[in-house]
Amino acid sequence: MLIQFRVANYRSIRTPQTLSRVASSAKTELATHTSVCKSLAESRLLNSCAIYGANGAGKTSLMRAAFDLRQLVMLSAKADSDAELPVTPFLLSSSTAQKPSSFEVTFDLGGIRHQYGVVVSKTRVHEEWLIAYPLRHPQTLFHRTAKGDKYDWKWGDSLRGAKSKIAELTRKNVLFLSSAANLNHRQLTEVEHWFRSHFWVVNAEDLVQEFAFSSRLVATEQRERRKIESFLQSADIAIQSLRAEEITFSKSQLPSDMPRSVKHALTKELKGAKRFDIYAGHKTLEGGTIEFDLEEESHGTRKLFNLSGPIFRALRNGAAIFIDELDTGIHPVLAKALVGLFHDPKVNQHGAQLVVATHDTTLLNAATFRRDQIWLAEKDQTQSSHFYSLLEYQPRKEEALQRGYLAGRYGGIPVIRPLNA
């Protein structure tokens, strides 16, 4: 379970910003919207939250920060020795443009609170640490600090297995956690696996990864396919069934007018590669069934399909999933139903968590979200993003939140100025 995510000096975020998942003390307010966290003395964590804000306020920066950290943990050990790390600092100030970005995640793993953080620039890891709280007291597993061209390493007694040897093999542009998992360090592989299976970020600009994941579930896991079919049926988009067809790459699939050198390189790279095409079954007027390639369905239908796999896997694993621009292409009623999956204890049995960035104000009501589930993004006079909970404005429980937000009572909306003729 995700407890909090913290980021500083990344894109539009200059000063440290923290997204906390810890619920307020309002125990009687939509109690099914929270789950118990054993590693926080039975405190409760929020099953979902929605982040609102004007265009360019920083919502996507927060989502990208989570995405980039996950990619670093999973893939940095497999990158080339001269590969740049995918981070961009706050560039609107000379005091931050040349400094590294920092990320820190606090999470529950096996009933034990863990705290993992990194400080990185495009060219190297400057600092990295992992702290566990097995008895609610901090125990450092490792702490890596750059000292010139080398690193100072500190090891905790509770970190077992080979570590110094792995440290020697870890390049300056690779996270030690990623390197250790790549070399099958049993204890640290469990931590890396948390990022892989319990920390999913959906990039609004590119859903290729999500389509591939959902397609594979439809093709290989009958139970998951039925869940996805049921979800799409409940969305009232006329899809009755799904079928996956495995396609093996062949040279004939490439455009005939593609340059020969490019075609040769792609053929060599993609030889033997497989993918799944998805076909959606619809009822005909005569009572039969006809299938359409999913690519022929609407943008909104395709987005629902792409999201369905990660969402149902998150619900199954008790994972945290970040979704940017949830409202794009999805009807508000469907968005509300999707959020509601994480509030239904029969569906969300493992404390899965949803974090969405959205402009859909129809979700701003006391029946959909608790007040502590609503967050706002806003830029200050330095064009730096800040994130804060709606609770800072102490709205009444019965307050009309949508009306108050659109009226600017809580901030987080664009300020429209007259055009100059």
Side-chain angles (χ1 to χ4, degrees):
M1 301 177 74
L2 175 65
I3 298 173
Q4 75 172 28
F5 177 57
R6 186 175 175 87
V7 57
N9 195 30
Y10 175 83
R11 293 169 62 89
S12 69
I13 301 171
R14 181 171 61 92
T15 59
Q17 300 296 309
T18 300
L19 179 70
S20 173
R21 310 307 310 119
V22 180
S24 70
S25 58
K27 296 181 180 180
T28 61
E29 187 175 352
L30 300 176
T32 60
H33 291 207
T34 65
S35 298
V36 172
C37 180
K38 295 181 179 180
S39 64
L40 281 181
E42 303 299 318
S43 294
R44 302 190 72 88
L45 300 180
L46 297 166
N47 289 348
S48 73
C49 83
I51 306 173
Y52 289 85
N55 294 108
K59 302 184 299 298
T60 294
S61 290
L62 184 70
M63 297 287 175
R64 284 279 299 270
F67 179 84
D68 285 345
L69 176 60
R70 183 177 188 264
Q71 294 297 98
L72 283 169
V73 170
M74 292 171 49
L75 302 176
S76 66
K78 301 176 182 178
D80 294 336
S81 59
D82 58 349
E84 286 193 346
L85 301 178
V87 294
T88 301
F90 184 81
L91 297 175
L92 298 181
S93 170
S94 58
S95 65
T96 56
Q98 302 303 318
K99 290 185 178 180
S101 305
S102 66
F103 311 87
E104 185 179 71
V105 178
T106 304
F107 56 98
D108 181 294
L109 175 60
I112 298 175
R113 178 160 50 113
H114 287 70
Q115 198 171 330
Y116 175 73
V118 295
V119 179
V120 294
S121 62
K122 286 186 177 297
T123 58
R124 72 176 305 182
V125 177
H126 296 261
E127 192 174 1
E128 183 182 7
W129 62 92
L130 178 63
I131 302 171
Y133 297 75
L135 299 174
R136 297 178 185 166
H137 297 291
Q139 293 184 6
T140 298
L141 277 76
F142 71 83
H143 198 136
R144 168 193 190 185
T145 308
K147 298 291 184 182
D149 293 333
K150 297 184 179 180
Y151 288 97
D152 177 36
W153 295 87
K154 294 182 180 179
W155 311 109
D157 295 337
S158 56
L159 182 64
R160 301 176 297 276
K163 40 188 180 278
S164 296
K165 184 63 176 178
I166 296 176
E168 292 177 9
L169 297 172
T170 302
R171 302 188 305 271
K172 67 177 184 178
N173 64 340
V174 175
L175 299 186
F176 177 71
L177 179 59
S178 180
S179 182
N182 193 53
L183 294 171
N184 299 315
H185 185 284
R186 183 174 179 179
Q187 191 175 356
L188 294 179
T189 296
E190 293 179 359
V191 178
E192 188 267 355
H193 182 70
W194 183 88
F195 282 92
R196 188 177 295 274
S197 64
H198 286 71
F199 192 69
W200 193 298
V201 185
V202 176
N203 186 344
E205 299 173 358
D206 185 2
L207 291 174
V208 172
Q209 178 184 5
E210 286 68 33
F211 173 78
F213 185 77
S214 298
S215 300
R216 189 165 62 252
L217 289 184
V218 170
T220 61
E221 298 191 29
Q222 186 177 21
R223 182 180 177 185
E224 299 297 308
R225 175 178 59 78
R226 289 175 177 171
K227 286 183 179 180
I228 295 173
E229 285 177 338
S230 178
F231 175 62
L232 294 179
Q233 289 166 6
S234 69
D236 192 28
I237 52 179
I239 289 178
Q240 301 299 312
S241 61
L242 295 170
R243 180 177 65 85
E245 182 177 308
E246 186 176 82
I247 305 295
T248 302
F249 172 79
S250 68
K251 186 177 180 180
S252 62
Q253 296 170 2
L254 298 176
S256 58
D257 58 348
M258 179 177 285
R260 182 178 299 179
S261 59
V262 176
K263 184 178 291 189
H264 176 75
L266 284 175
T267 300
K268 184 177 180 181
E269 180 180 350
L270 297 175
K271 183 178 180 180
K274 298 180 184 298
R275 74 172 198 275
F276 294 105
D277 284 349
I278 300 297
Y279 294 89
H282 293 257
K283 283 186 177 180
T284 65
L285 296 178
E286 294 75 23
T289 301
I290 185 173
E291 289 186 332
F292 295 105
D293 191 315
L294 192 68
E295 290 300 312
E296 299 180 42
E297 302 287 348
S298 70
H299 170 73
T301 296
R302 297 197 308 272
K303 182 171 181 177
L304 279 177
F305 174 81
N306 294 341
L307 293 178
S308 62
I311 284 173
F312 282 108
R313 184 50 56 92
L315 290 165
R316 175 177 166 179
N317 290 351
I321 179 169
F322 291 64
I323 301 178
D324 194 11
E325 297 183 10
L326 173 68
D327 49 306
T328 303
I330 295 181
H331 192 279
V333 172
L334 293 181
K336 182 178 179 180
L338 191 153
V339 170
L341 294 174
F342 290 79
H343 300 159
D344 186 344
K346 294 181 180 179
V347 177
N348 187 5
Q349 300 180 10
H350 307 290
Q353 299 161 295
L354 174 68
V355 178
V356 298
T358 182
H359 296 290
D360 182 0
T361 61
T362 65
L363 299 173
L364 282 172
N365 60 78
T368 304
F369 286 124
R370 294 160 49 111
R371 289 165 293 176
D372 53 0
Q373 289 179 278
I374 299 169
W375 282 67
L376 299 154
E378 197 167 52
K379 282 185 175 177
D380 61 18
Q381 293 180 344
T382 70
Q383 294 302 298
S384 174
S385 298
H386 295 266
F387 299 86
Y388 52 96
S389 169
L390 181 65
L391 282 182
E392 292 189 20
Y393 284 86
Q394 299 180 335
R396 301 184 311 276
K397 186 176 180 179
E398 67 280 3
E399 191 165 314
L401 299 178
Q402 182 183 26
R403 184 187 305 169
Y405 172 70
L406 292 176
R409 191 175 303 160
Y410 319 123
I413 63 171
V415 178
I416 307 299
R417 298 177 175 84
L419 292 175
N420 293 324

PDB file of all heavy atoms in Angstrom, residues 101-115:
ATOM      1  N   SER A 101      17.110  16.156  -9.094  1.00  0.00           N
ATOM      2  CA  SER A 101      15.737  15.975  -8.643  1.00  0.00           C
ATOM      3  C   SER A 101      15.708  14.919  -7.543  1.00  0.00           C
ATOM      4  O   SER A 101      16.579  14.042  -7.476  1.00  0.00           O
ATOM      5  CB  SER A 101      14.846  15.515  -9.804  1.00  0.00           C
ATOM      6  OG  SER A 101      14.924  16.408 -10.902  1.00  0.00           O
ATOM      7  N   SER A 102      14.707  14.980  -6.687  1.00  0.00           N
ATOM      8  CA  SER A 102      14.606  13.989  -5.611  1.00  0.00           C
ATOM      9  C   SER A 102      13.206  13.393  -5.569  1.00  0.00           C
ATOM     10  O   SER A 102      12.211  14.067  -5.836  1.00  0.00           O
ATOM     11  CB  SER A 102      14.950  14.615  -4.255  1.00  0.00           C
ATOM     12  OG  SER A 102      14.003  15.591  -3.890  1.00  0.00           O
ATOM     13  N   PHE A 103      13.152  12.093  -5.249  1.00  0.00           N
ATOM     14  CA  PHE A 103      11.911  11.338  -5.172  1.00  0.00           C
ATOM     15  C   PHE A 103      11.962  10.458  -3.928  1.00  0.00           C
ATOM     16  O   PHE A 103      13.021   9.897  -3.613  1.00  0.00           O
ATOM     17  CB  PHE A 103      11.715  10.447  -6.395  1.00  0.00           C
ATOM     18  CG  PHE A 103      11.915  11.134  -7.718  1.00  0.00           C
ATOM     19  CD1 PHE A 103      13.184  11.224  -8.288  1.00  0.00           C
ATOM     20  CD2 PHE A 103      10.847  11.687  -8.407  1.00  0.00           C
ATOM     21  CE1 PHE A 103      13.386  11.843  -9.504  1.00  0.00           C
ATOM     22  CE2 PHE A 103      11.035  12.317  -9.621  1.00  0.00           C
ATOM     23  CZ  PHE A 103      12.306  12.405 -10.177  1.00  0.00           C
ATOM     24  N   GLU A 104      10.837  10.300  -3.270  1.00  0.00           N
ATOM     25  CA  GLU A 104      10.781   9.406  -2.110  1.00  0.00           C
ATOM     26  C   GLU A 104       9.381   8.800  -2.012  1.00  0.00           C
ATOM     27  O   GLU A 104       8.377   9.507  -2.136  1.00  0.00           O
ATOM     28  CB  GLU A 104      11.116  10.149  -0.818  1.00  0.00           C
ATOM     29  CG  GLU A 104      11.193   9.229   0.396  1.00  0.00           C
ATOM     30  CD  GLU A 104      11.560   9.975   1.671  1.00  0.00           C
ATOM     31  OE1 GLU A 104      10.690  10.739   2.162  1.00  0.00           O
ATOM     32  OE2 GLU A 104      12.691   9.829   2.153  1.00  0.00           O
ATOM     33  N   VAL A 105       9.343   7.500  -1.806  1.00  0.00           N
ATOM     34  CA  VAL A 105       8.082   6.780  -1.668  1.00  0.00           C
ATOM     35  C   VAL A 105       8.081   6.070  -0.321  1.00  0.00           C
ATOM     36  O   VAL A 105       9.058   5.396   0.039  1.00  0.00           O
ATOM     37  CB  VAL A 105       7.900   5.745  -2.793  1.00  0.00           C
ATOM     38  CG1 VAL A 105       6.599   4.967  -2.596  1.00  0.00           C
ATOM     39  CG2 VAL A 105       7.888   6.430  -4.139  1.00  0.00           C
ATOM     40  N   THR A 106       6.982   6.209   0.416  1.00  0.00           N
ATOM     41  CA  THR A 106       6.776   5.464   1.654  1.00  0.00           C
ATOM     42  C   THR A 106       5.639   4.490   1.412  1.00  0.00           C
ATOM     43  O   THR A 106       4.570   4.884   0.926  1.00  0.00           O
ATOM     44  CB  THR A 106       6.428   6.408   2.821  1.00  0.00           C
ATOM     45  OG1 THR A 106       7.454   7.393   2.942  1.00  0.00           O
ATOM     46  CG2 THR A 106       6.324   5.630   4.127  1.00  0.00           C
ATOM     47  N   PHE A 107       5.855   3.222   1.720  1.00  0.00           N
ATOM     48  CA  PHE A 107       4.867   2.203   1.382  1.00  0.00           C
ATOM     49  C   PHE A 107       4.895   1.058   2.384  1.00  0.00           C
ATOM     50  O   PHE A 107       5.864   0.876   3.136  1.00  0.00           O
ATOM     51  CB  PHE A 107       5.107   1.668  -0.032  1.00  0.00           C
ATOM     52  CG  PHE A 107       6.483   1.111  -0.264  1.00  0.00           C
ATOM     53  CD1 PHE A 107       6.743  -0.251  -0.191  1.00  0.00           C
ATOM     54  CD2 PHE A 107       7.552   1.963  -0.577  1.00  0.00           C
ATOM     55  CE1 PHE A 107       8.012  -0.762  -0.413  1.00  0.00           C
ATOM     56  CE2 PHE A 107       8.826   1.464  -0.804  1.00  0.00           C
ATOM     57  CZ  PHE A 107       9.064   0.096  -0.711  1.00  0.00           C
ATOM     58  N   ASP A 108       3.817   0.304   2.392  1.00  0.00           N
ATOM     59  CA  ASP A 108       3.684  -0.879   3.249  1.00  0.00           C
ATOM     60  C   ASP A 108       4.024  -2.108   2.418  1.00  0.00           C
ATOM     61  O   ASP A 108       3.413  -2.345   1.380  1.00  0.00           O
ATOM     62  CB  ASP A 108       2.256  -0.975   3.797  1.00  0.00           C
ATOM     63  CG  ASP A 108       2.063  -2.171   4.725  1.00  0.00           C
ATOM     64  OD1 ASP A 108       2.148  -3.328   4.251  1.00  0.00           O
ATOM     65  OD2 ASP A 108       1.814  -1.968   5.916  1.00  0.00           O
ATOM     66  N   LEU A 109       4.992  -2.874   2.874  1.00  0.00           N
ATOM     67  CA  LEU A 109       5.377  -4.106   2.204  1.00  0.00           C
ATOM     68  C   LEU A 109       5.382  -5.234   3.226  1.00  0.00           C
ATOM     69  O   LEU A 109       6.200  -5.231   4.136  1.00  0.00           O
ATOM     70  CB  LEU A 109       6.765  -3.962   1.558  1.00  0.00           C
ATOM     71  CG  LEU A 109       7.358  -5.222   0.911  1.00  0.00           C
ATOM     72  CD1 LEU A 109       6.452  -5.736  -0.198  1.00  0.00           C
ATOM     73  CD2 LEU A 109       8.757  -4.939   0.371  1.00  0.00           C
ATOM     74  N   GLY A 110       4.429  -6.137   3.099  1.00  0.00           N
ATOM     75  CA  GLY A 110       4.349  -7.254   4.030  1.00  0.00           C
ATOM     76  C   GLY A 110       4.082  -6.838   5.464  1.00  0.00           C
ATOM     77  O   GLY A 110       4.552  -7.506   6.391  1.00  0.00           O
ATOM     78  N   GLY A 111       3.350  -5.736   5.638  1.00  0.00           N
ATOM     79  CA  GLY A 111       3.049  -5.271   6.982  1.00  0.00           C
ATOM     80  C   GLY A 111       4.146  -4.449   7.619  1.00  0.00           C
ATOM     81  O   GLY A 111       4.053  -4.081   8.799  1.00  0.00           O
ATOM     82  N   ILE A 112       5.204  -4.146   6.857  1.00  0.00           N
ATOM     83  CA  ILE A 112       6.327  -3.348   7.352  1.00  0.00           C
ATOM     84  C   ILE A 112       6.440  -2.076   6.512  1.00  0.00           C
ATOM     85  O   ILE A 112       6.450  -2.134   5.282  1.00  0.00           O
ATOM     86  CB  ILE A 112       7.651  -4.130   7.297  1.00  0.00           C
ATOM     87  CG1 ILE A 112       7.572  -5.370   8.188  1.00  0.00           C
ATOM     88  CG2 ILE A 112       8.827  -3.251   7.721  1.00  0.00           C
ATOM     89  CD1 ILE A 112       8.783  -6.271   8.101  1.00  0.00           C
ATOM     90  N   ARG A 113       6.532  -0.942   7.177  1.00  0.00           N
ATOM     91  CA  ARG A 113       6.681   0.327   6.470  1.00  0.00           C
ATOM     92  C   ARG A 113       8.096   0.451   5.911  1.00  0.00           C
ATOM     93  O   ARG A 113       9.081   0.187   6.598  1.00  0.00           O
ATOM     94  CB  ARG A 113       6.371   1.493   7.414  1.00  0.00           C
ATOM     95  CG  ARG A 113       6.540   2.880   6.790  1.00  0.00           C
ATOM     96  CD  ARG A 113       5.784   3.953   7.562  1.00  0.00           C
ATOM     97  NE  ARG A 113       6.064   3.906   8.994  1.00  0.00           N
ATOM     98  CZ  ARG A 113       6.723   4.849   9.665  1.00  0.00           C
ATOM     99  NH1 ARG A 113       7.196   5.903   9.030  1.00  0.00           N
ATOM    100  NH2 ARG A 113       6.888   4.744  10.957  1.00  0.00           N
ATOM    101  N   HIS A 114       8.185   0.852   4.649  1.00  0.00           N
ATOM    102  CA  HIS A 114       9.461   1.078   3.976  1.00  0.00           C
ATOM    103  C   HIS A 114       9.497   2.491   3.421  1.00  0.00           C
ATOM    104  O   HIS A 114       8.461   3.056   3.053  1.00  0.00           O
ATOM    105  CB  HIS A 114       9.664   0.084   2.825  1.00  0.00           C
ATOM    106  CG  HIS A 114       9.976  -1.315   3.251  1.00  0.00           C
ATOM    107  ND1 HIS A 114       9.047  -2.125   3.864  1.00  0.00           N
ATOM    108  CD2 HIS A 114      11.118  -2.046   3.148  1.00  0.00           C
ATOM    109  CE1 HIS A 114       9.597  -3.308   4.116  1.00  0.00           C
ATOM    110  NE2 HIS A 114      10.848  -3.274   3.706  1.00  0.00           N
ATOM    111  N   GLN A 115      10.692   3.028   3.330  1.00  0.00           N
ATOM    112  CA  GLN A 115      10.890   4.381   2.803  1.00  0.00           C
ATOM    113  C   GLN A 115      12.067   4.324   1.846  1.00  0.00           C
ATOM    114  O   GLN A 115      13.204   4.048   2.242  1.00  0.00           O
ATOM    115  CB  GLN A 115      11.195   5.321   3.972  1.00  0.00           C
ATOM    116  CG  GLN A 115      11.017   6.787   3.678  1.00  0.00           C
ATOM    117  CD  GLN A 115      11.137   7.608   4.947  1.00  0.00           C
ATOM    118  OE1 GLN A 115      10.820   7.149   6.043  1.00  0.00           O
ATOM    119  NE2 GLN A 115      11.606   8.827   4.807  1.00  0.00           N
TER     120      GLN A 115
END
